[in-house]
Amino acid sequence: MKIVQSWDDGVVDDARLSGLLRRFHARATFNLNPGLHQQRRSFGWRHGDKDVWRLGRDELATVYAGFEIANHSLTHPNLPDLSTLELEREVRDSRHILQDWFQQPVRGFCYPFGSYNPAVKEAVRAAGHVYARTVAECEPLFPPADPFEFGVSCRFVDPAFWTRYEQAKTFGGVFLFWGHSYELVNEAMWADLEDKIARISADPAAEWASVETLF
Ligand SMILES: [Zn+2]
């Protein structure tokens, strides 16, 4: 079974997360919005009692070294609301910027807010992506009926995480969990995630993979 993980939004907690993943030789895909990163860390929004900050442009290459980068649009708008021109900018320009920043091909896309329509799907495909991730949970996950409506197994905090994991194993295919590292609001949650990563890395039936390599 291949295990893939997909983390969104490029926040500062990704620095700790990528360090944790490296310790366990886990692969992951990070979905970024290049239009939202300033040179230094910048305040993003509040998540409950927590201030969420975005990573600075100056640290992105270090934080994400060795991981797959996917396009999450330029500025995280609700893509179905946009004009054709705006859509082009959010999808195509964003991909070019990420490829320039990271000097690696960017072929994956992740819909902001999980929202899309036929025009959005076509813009994403035409810009050179090979898949687009939604937030729809489905089993079996792979291969998807439409690679531009690629779903997920569950969120990383899903109470049914291990049940879903074993289900995916029964189907013999792919298990994909996703989330945002800013959701990790205390040490107990970090310990729980570390336990998950460690258990998966120790499972002889599991093999870490990047999303893009599935397609
Ligand atoms: Zn997002």
Side-chain angles (χ1 to χ4, degrees), residues 8-9 72 76:
D8 303 353
D9 297 348
H72 196 33
H76 210 288

Side-chain angles (χ1 to χ4, degrees), residues 121-197:
K121 277 171 58 177
E122 176 51 26
V124 170
R125 191 199 59 74
H129 303 89
V130 296
Y131 77 86
R133 206 212 79 202
T134 70
V135 294
E137 295 183 358
C138 57
E139 184 64 56
L141 180 68
F142 200 87
D146 180 344
F148 293 92
E149 293 186 23
F150 183 44
V152 296
S153 300
C154 64
R155 291 164 40 76
F156 77 99
V157 287
D158 191 326
F161 184 92
W162 291 112
T163 306
R164 302 283 177 92
Y165 182 84
E166 292 302 327
Q167 280 170 355
K169 194 179 281 186
T170 305
F171 282 105
V174 174
F175 178 72
L176 186 160
F177 61 96
W178 76 283
H180 314 87
S181 60
Y182 64 75
E183 297 175 75
L184 294 152
V185 294
N186 56 48
E187 288 306 312
M189 291 187 77
W190 279 102
D192 179 70
L193 178 64
E194 180 163 336
D195 176 66
K196 285 178 169 124
I197 302 297

Side-chain angles (χ1 to χ4, degrees), residues 77-92:
N78 190 45
L79 294 175
D81 293 342
L82 303 186
S83 70
T84 308
L85 262 179
E86 289 170 326
L87 191 55
E88 178 99 352
R89 181 170 166 271
E90 286 288 343
V91 171
R92 187 183 296 270

Side-chain angles (χ1 to χ4, degrees), residues 42-60:
S42 57
F43 175 75
W45 64 93
R46 294 274 297 173
H47 175 70
D49 293 333
K50 177 176 176 176
D51 285 346
V52 179
W53 288 67
R54 288 194 179 84
L55 287 165
R57 167 81 183 84
D58 57 356
E59 60 187 330
L60 294 179

